[in-house]
Amino acid sequence: MKIIVGSDHAGYNHKVALLSVIKNMELEFMDCGCYDDSSVDYPDYAHIVSKAVIKDKKSIGVLICGSANGVAMAANRHVGVRAAICWNKSISELARTHNDSNILCIPARFISTSELEEIFKVFISSEFHGGRHKQRIKKIDCN
C-alpha cells in the first residue's frame, strides 16, 4: 500500500507530522506538496493526489487543509475518487468499511496531530465490507 499525501498551507504542519508517522510505520509514500506554509491553492494539491490515487488503485490518499471541505470537494470531482472528511476514528472507519473511501481528508484546524495519527491508522487498517455497500458505491460516479 502506497500513501499519497498532499496539503495546502493550512494543513502543512499536520502533513509534516503525518509524514513522520508514515515513515515510522515504514510505509511507502509520495509527498505531493505543499512544501512550506506559504499560501497556496488547495485544488492544485487535491488534483495531484486524486490523479495519483486513480492511477495506483492500491494506494490511499490523504489530503489536509484547514476545514477539509475544499480538498474533499476538489478531489471528489475525479471519477473513481471517494474522498471522505474524517474528524474522528469512527467516521474514519465508516468511510472505509461502508463507503470504500480511497482518500482521507483531514480538517487541520479542528483536530490535533495526535488525533490525526489515530484517524489515519484506523483509515489504513480498515477494509471495505462490500455486500450491500458495493451496490451503493457503484451509484456514486456520474458520467
Side-chain angles (χ1 to χ4, degrees), residues 39-52:
S39 184
V40 296
D41 297 332
Y42 61 82
D44 296 340
Y45 301 95
H47 294 313
I48 293 167
V49 169
S50 297
K51 288 175 185 176

Side-chain angles (χ1 to χ4, degrees), residues 4 12 34-35 43 61-62 72-73 85 87 90 98-99 110-111 137:
I4 303 169
Y12 173 73
C34 67
Y35 302 107
V62 180
M73 288 179 200
I85 301 171
W87 58 92
S90 296
H98 287 200
N99 307 117
F110 298 94
I111 66 166
I137 299 306

Side-chain angles (χ1 to χ4, degrees), residues 5-132:
V5 183
S7 74
D8 71 355
H9 54 282
Y12 173 73
N13 289 329
H14 276 57
K15 185 190 80 156
V16 170
L18 178 62
L19 290 176
S20 178
V21 169
I22 291 169
K23 289 173 188 174
N24 286 338
M25 294 176 73
E26 298 182 357
L27 296 170
E28 182 182 358
F29 71 94
M30 180 169 66
D31 180 358
C32 295
C34 67
Y35 302 107
D36 60 40
D37 60 2
S38 300
S39 184
V40 296
D41 297 332
Y42 61 82
D44 296 340
Y45 301 95
H47 294 313
I48 293 167
V49 169
S50 297
K51 288 175 185 176
V53 167
I54 290 166
K55 186 175 179 180
D56 181 356
K57 302 284 188 217
K58 293 181 181 179
S59 66
I60 289 179
V62 180
L63 287 166
I64 310 169
C65 75
S67 69
N69 285 310
V71 291
M73 288 179 200
N76 280 320
R77 300 288 294 163
H78 295 265
V79 173
V81 165
R82 290 169 307 282
I85 301 171
C86 299
W87 58 92
N88 65 40
K89 294 186 298 186
S90 296
I91 296 296
S92 180
E93 182 179 16
L94 287 171
R96 292 283 288 155
T97 61
H98 287 200
N99 307 117
D100 198 20
S101 178
N102 52 7
I103 298 182
L104 169 64
C105 298
I106 295 292
R109 291 187 178 131
F110 298 94
I111 66 166
S112 68
T113 56
S114 62
E115 289 170 313
L116 165 59
E117 181 177 350
E118 293 174 1
I119 292 165
F120 171 74
K121 286 179 176 178
V122 167
F123 193 85
I124 66 166
S125 66
S126 299
E127 292 188 22
F128 182 50
H129 286 172
R132 70 183 193 276

